[in-house]
């Protein structure tokens, strides 16, 4: 309990009133006592306490979100000949996937499809794949507009889950990205370009149709593949 200051005067008439706090056995070590010189009108001595603030713990929400998203992505399986070489998703790929989930939720879709993966790449915006798309006239606004025209709008009272599950074509697109990275035999991470080419590999998927309607074709896919570290065997056959 905080001590209450009291006024005390001495028996001498020349003494002036002073303010002195009672001593407390439960003193806080974070408090420091400061005594100012007598400068008031009545010569009152004032004792003040300064509270030393402690730093709050760092915010870990961003780390928790990244961990949750990375767990949602497919995990590459170790190769029998080189079990220690397991490629990981790049930071941009993880962020693109997180943005894809967010775009699916914005449109109130129950799942994260190839169209959402495409929008997530453009929302992240800093990868070579995103820059290549914008350079070829494929922007987030156009993709979102084509998505609504193709798939329609969701019911206004429907709410998407926090992490909308992947559709089958979207799952296959990510699996394609993993397989292509493993087939290349090159070290490094699975990047956003792998995801974009994985979307293009899924014929008749919403993302592939939207890309084709906006002018993307096999020639541009081959041009984009040159930006990946290592050779990529492009085979755009529909996966079973």
């Amino acid at each position: 309990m905080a001590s209450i200051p009291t006024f005390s005067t001495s028996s001498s008439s020349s003494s002036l009133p002073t303010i002195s706090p009672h001593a407390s056995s439960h003193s806080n070590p974070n408090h420091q006592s400061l005594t100012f010189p007598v400068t008031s009108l009545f010569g009152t001595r004032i004792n003040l306490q300064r509270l030393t603030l402690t730093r709050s713990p760092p915010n870990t929400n961003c780390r928790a979100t990244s961990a949750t998203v990375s767990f949602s992505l497919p995990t590459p399986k170790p190769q029998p000949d080189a079990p220690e070489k397991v490629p990981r998703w790049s930071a941009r790929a993880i962020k693109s996937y997180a943005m894809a989930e967010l775009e699916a939720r914005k449109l109130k879709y129950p799942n994260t499809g190839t169209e959402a993966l495409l929008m997530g790449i453009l929302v992240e915006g800093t990868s070579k794949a995103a820059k290549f798309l914008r350079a070829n006239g494929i922007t987030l606004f156009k993709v979102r507009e084509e998505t609504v025209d193709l798939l329609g709008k969701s019911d206004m009272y429907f709410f998407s889950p926090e992490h909308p599950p992947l559709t089958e074509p979207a799952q296959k697109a990510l699996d394609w990205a993993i397989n292509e990275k493993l087939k290349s035999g090159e070290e490094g991470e699975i990047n956003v370009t792998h995801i974009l080419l994985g979307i293009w590999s899924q014929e008749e998927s919403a993302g592939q149709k939207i890309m084709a309607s906006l002018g993307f074709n096999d020639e541009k896919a081959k041009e984009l593949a040159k930006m990946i570290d290592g050779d990529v065997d492009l085979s755009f056959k529909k996966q079973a």
Side-chain angles (χ1 to χ4, degrees), residues 1 7 18-19 29 44 65 76 85 90-91 133 140 166-167 176 201 209:
M1 179 176 181
F7 290 91
T18 61
I19 299 176
T44 304
T65 302
K85 294 182 179 180
S90 67
L133 289 174
L140 175 62
L166 290 166
T167 61
W176 187 97
S201 71
K209 289 180 179 179

Side-chain angles (χ1 to χ4, degrees), residues 92-109:
R92 286 191 177 97
I94 295 174
K95 185 176 180 181
S96 296
Y97 182 79
M99 295 299 102
E101 288 187 335
L102 181 60
E103 287 300 309
R105 292 177 62 189
K106 283 182 179 179
L107 294 175
K108 296 187 176 182
Y109 287 166

